[in-house]
Structures are given as C-alpha cells and as structure tokens.
Amino acid sequence: MNPAPRGIARFLWHNEMHYGVVEGDRILGLVEDYDVDLTNHPIGTFDTLRLLPPVEPRTIVCIGRNYREHAAEMEADLPTEPLIFLKPVTSLIAHGEAIVYPSWVSSTVHYEGELAVVIGQTCYRVPASEAMRYVRGYTIANDVTARDLQRKDGQWTRGKGFNTFCPVGPVVVEDLDPADLAITTRVNGAVRQQSRTSQLIFDIPRLISHISAVMTLQEDDIILTGTPAGVGPVQPGDVIEVEIEGIGVLRNPVVAGE
Ligand code: MG
C-alpha cells in the first residue's frame, strides 16, 4: 500500500525559517532529510511550532465564479471564460493566524473555501496541454471577502484585499490528483460549503493557460481556483475551517479589528 501523501509546511524553528515534512499535524523532520525515516522523532506539531504560509508568492491570482452553484447564488451569469482578479501578498496569513474583521469599513465579511494551485516554475503563455508541468502542488486557501465592499465598488480590489484576508496552508501536497477532491468549509464546526473539485467550471490546465496568456507566473505563485456554493458571513469570535481531501484542514479564527 502506498503511504498517504505527505505535505510540506514552512515554519519557524529556533528563529529560522525551515521547510518540514508533515503527517497529520506533526512535523516529522526537515525536507532536506526527506529520505530518512522521520516517523519517530517529530520536530513538533502545528500547535507547538510557529507555522508560516507554506508558499511565498509574488502574485496571488484568484478565479471568480468557477462553480456553477456559487455563480447562481451570487445571481451572476455563468462565465464563458475564467474571470481573474488578484489579492495583494500582504493579505497572506498562515494556518492558525487570525483574520482581522475590518469593522471600520465593512459590516459583511464572508469566507470562501478554495483549492489553491502552487506554481513550481516560471511560465508564460502556456497551452493547457502543457500547463500541469508547471504545477508543484496544492494547498488550501480562504478567499476572505468583504462582500458589501465587493458589491459597492463594482470591482474587487478593496473587498478582497484587506490584510489577513488570504489564509493559506497548512501544507503543500505535491503528489495529489486534484480532479475530484472533497472540499468542505465549516464555521464553528457547522458545515457551510460542501462540494468536489470535479465541479469546477474551468479546470486547472485551462486556468493556467488563461492566466499565463496575460502575466508571467513564477515559482510559489498561487492560483485560488474559486469557491463552491454556500458562502456566508462570519463574525469576530468565529473559527473558519476549510478542509480538502488529501491536503488537510486550514483553520483560522476571526478577531475584531481595532
Ligand atoms: Mg473566491
């Protein structure tokens, strides 16, 4: 039997940044020791080490309305080609870090659980047939959105761009078929979104081809592939979990902004 795919986490250890091999919530050892039997001497767990986002992107590309049922709940037409937008890298936070509710400008903040594609090497104008060779792996993201500002502005930079509005992690899994993975979002333990990545309107090769026709994608850049139906509001004090089969659980509390 093949072992379960192992994830790669990025974390602080003795005040330095490291990449480690993860099973469950245990960091078994450093990536450079991958071939050693790590099982019996974990460095620590997600609770005892300071996790960092598992990637250091220069560009965070997101896809809007890429699940039919979500497009319907937003009362939006089905797109005829992928709809892309960006989040700033300053919105990135790690598993466990707090989403700050920007109550000084917004009163409607929504979660959006999403599968994120991690780019492995620079690509530009890639045909869909060759796109997967530029993928390093997959992680989980929450495309946190100030829905009131998104609707008010008519474009999405402000509603999607707040600091802490892009939780990503906890790990990157490299050896994973993304075609049909269960994706679930829970708020305080209650299921709010439940779908499968097979329901994506535009698949990953198509997304990479479409985006790279516009901009160069570089190592560690991520593509948030869109969210299923069931988006809804959160409040300070809530805890959001996004779980994707084969990757794990991304958990972030929401705290009141000062
Ligand atoms: Mg989204």
Side-chain angles (χ1 to χ4, degrees):
M1 196 176 90
N2 291 327
R6 285 176 166 180
I8 307 295
R10 197 166 67 94
F11 57 96
L12 288 181
W13 190 43
H14 300 307
N15 291 320
E16 289 186 359
M17 191 269 285
H18 293 278
Y19 289 89
V21 179
V22 171
E23 230 172 50
D25 71 344
R26 295 189 309 161
I27 297 171
L28 301 181
L30 304 182
V31 164
E32 50 265 40
D33 300 327
Y34 192 85
D35 293 332
V36 180
D37 178 8
L38 302 168
T39 312
N40 295 319
H41 302 284
I43 291 173
T45 69
F46 288 177
D47 290 334
T48 61
L49 290 167
R50 164 88 190 280
L51 278 194
L52 303 170
V55 288
E56 295 182 278
R58 281 167 282 191
T59 307
I60 302 171
V61 189
C62 307
I63 311 300
R65 300 172 196 153
N66 202 20
Y67 286 81
R68 282 179 185 77
E69 291 170 356
H70 174 60
E73 74 178 347
M74 300 302 289
E75 299 178 343
D77 293 335
L78 279 188
T80 55
E81 57 182 0
L83 172 64
I84 69 174
F85 63 94
L86 303 177
K87 284 170 99 81
V89 293
T90 43
S91 64
L92 267 185
I93 57 171
H95 171 79
E97 289 191 298
I99 298 162
V100 177
Y101 198 112
S103 50
W104 55 93
V105 276
S106 172
S107 58
T108 312
V109 172
H110 282 194
Y111 53 82
E112 292 189 359
E114 307 199 9
L115 173 71
V117 179
V118 179
I119 296 296
Q121 57 174 306
T122 299
C123 59
Y124 179 58
R125 299 183 68 184
V126 181
S129 59
E130 294 174 20
M132 295 306 279
R133 73 174 62 167
Y134 298 96
V135 173
R136 177 159 74 83
Y138 304 90
T139 185
I140 306 168
N142 187 347
D143 175 21
V144 182
T145 302
R147 194 71 72 198
D148 48 356
L149 302 183
Q150 181 193 23
R151 293 191 188 283
K152 183 178 177 183
D153 288 359
Q155 53 95 333
W156 304 357
T157 304
R158 188 164 66 136
K160 300 279 193 176
F162 286 91
N163 289 0
T164 75
F165 268 27
C166 192
V168 170
V171 296
V172 173
V173 175
E174 298 183 353
D175 187 16
L176 185 68
D177 180 352
D180 186 26
L181 304 172
I183 175 167
T184 306
T185 305
R186 293 180 289 269
V187 178
N188 304 328
V191 172
R192 300 290 184 84
Q193 294 184 288
Q194 196 160 41
S195 189
R196 303 192 68 85
T197 57
S198 53
Q199 299 302 306
L200 287 174
I201 297 172
F202 302 110
D203 65 11
I204 292 165
R206 176 78 193 279
L207 296 179
I208 292 171
S209 176
H210 184 81
I211 297 162
S212 74
V214 179
M215 64 189 80
T216 300
L217 291 168
Q218 301 172 91
E219 182 180 3
D220 259 21
D221 286 349
I222 51 176
I223 301 169
L224 277 56
T225 55
T227 201
V231 298
V234 289
Q235 302 298 333
D238 288 344
V239 175
I240 309 171
E241 293 178 320
V242 184
E243 179 167 7
I244 297 182
E245 181 183 0
I247 304 177
V249 179
L250 171 67
R251 181 182 303 110
N252 298 89
V254 181
V255 303
E258 295 300 319

